[in-house]
Amino acid sequence: MRTIRVAAAVCGLLALLLGLPFAGGTGPGTVDRAAAAAVAHLSPGVVGALVLPTEPYVVLALGVLAVVLCLRAGQRREAALALAIPVLAILLTGWLLKPLYDRWKNDTLVYPSGHTVSLVAVLTVLVLVTRKAVVVVLSALALLAATAGLVGMGYHYLTDVVGGTLFAVSVVLFSWPAPRRVPVPSGG
């Protein structure tokens, strides 16, 4: 459990530090411009499809899936947290971090990406609930697609997405309970 808390602290610190150079409305950096150029050739239809994982109805469906999986496993506390923790991450992003960093794009605060925070928080919960490699791989693919879509649609810079990813992982890892130990029956 200590390793998870250390990972959470590192992700949180990196998210906070990554946004500093862009605070106060600074435009794109070199990496942001390179990422935008890399997806500029994608058609609007492809970019629209790539951003689909960040849509609220997709994120909500994934959250409900996490709750159902927890309830089926008899983990009521985790089921409640599967909903509460992503909401906490989203609220902290919108109410605290975005105004604090004050980074703008298209008349919208963008650092860290709220689209990304909502998706990654729910995906991180799903990974913790299932503990399956296939869920990790599918989550990574969904995040890569969403990243290309968010940058390609012009909603966010790459650094916004990376910051949102780091922050969401940090909040979930800090907030998720330690696995319960199952008592071993005595032999005598």
Side-chain angles (χ1 to χ4, degrees):
M1 192 65 195
R2 181 183 165 153
T3 304
I4 290 175
R5 298 292 187 237
V6 169
V10 168
C11 286
L13 181 61
L14 289 174
L16 295 175
L17 292 175
L18 178 62
L20 289 179
F22 306 105
T26 304
T30 305
V31 172
D32 294 324
R33 285 190 290 277
V39 297
H41 70 283
L42 298 174
S43 72
V46 169
V47 174
L50 292 173
V51 82
L52 186 67
T54 68
E55 293 294 337
Y57 58 88
V58 174
V59 173
L60 184 59
L62 293 170
V64 168
L65 174 61
V67 169
V68 168
L69 292 172
C70 290
L71 291 174
R72 283 185 62 205
Q75 300 173 328
R76 286 185 283 182
R77 178 177 68 151
E78 287 81 356
L81 291 173
L83 283 180
I85 294 171
V87 169
L88 173 65
I90 292 164
L91 292 175
L92 287 172
T93 299
W95 292 351
L96 180 66
L97 294 182
K98 283 183 182 260
L100 180 69
Y101 283 97
D102 195 34
R103 185 182 197 191
W104 293 84
K105 183 175 186 179
N106 303 328
D107 298 325
T108 304
L109 289 170
V110 292
Y111 187 88
S113 164
H115 291 90
T116 306
V117 168
S118 62
L119 175 65
V120 172
V122 170
L123 291 176
T124 304
V125 167
L126 275 171
V127 167
L128 292 171
V129 167
T130 64
R131 299 184 182 270
K132 302 243 186 242
V134 68
V135 176
V136 173
V137 171
L138 291 173
S139 296
L141 291 173
L143 177 58
L144 286 173
T147 300
L150 290 169
V151 172
M153 294 287 283
Y155 294 163
H156 285 285
Y157 300 115
L158 177 62
T159 48
D160 304 331
V161 175
V162 173
T165 299
L166 291 166
F167 183 69
V169 169
S170 176
V171 171
V172 173
L173 292 182
F174 263 128
S175 306
W176 198 254
R180 297 181 198 162
R181 294 182 184 224
V182 177
V184 178
S186 69

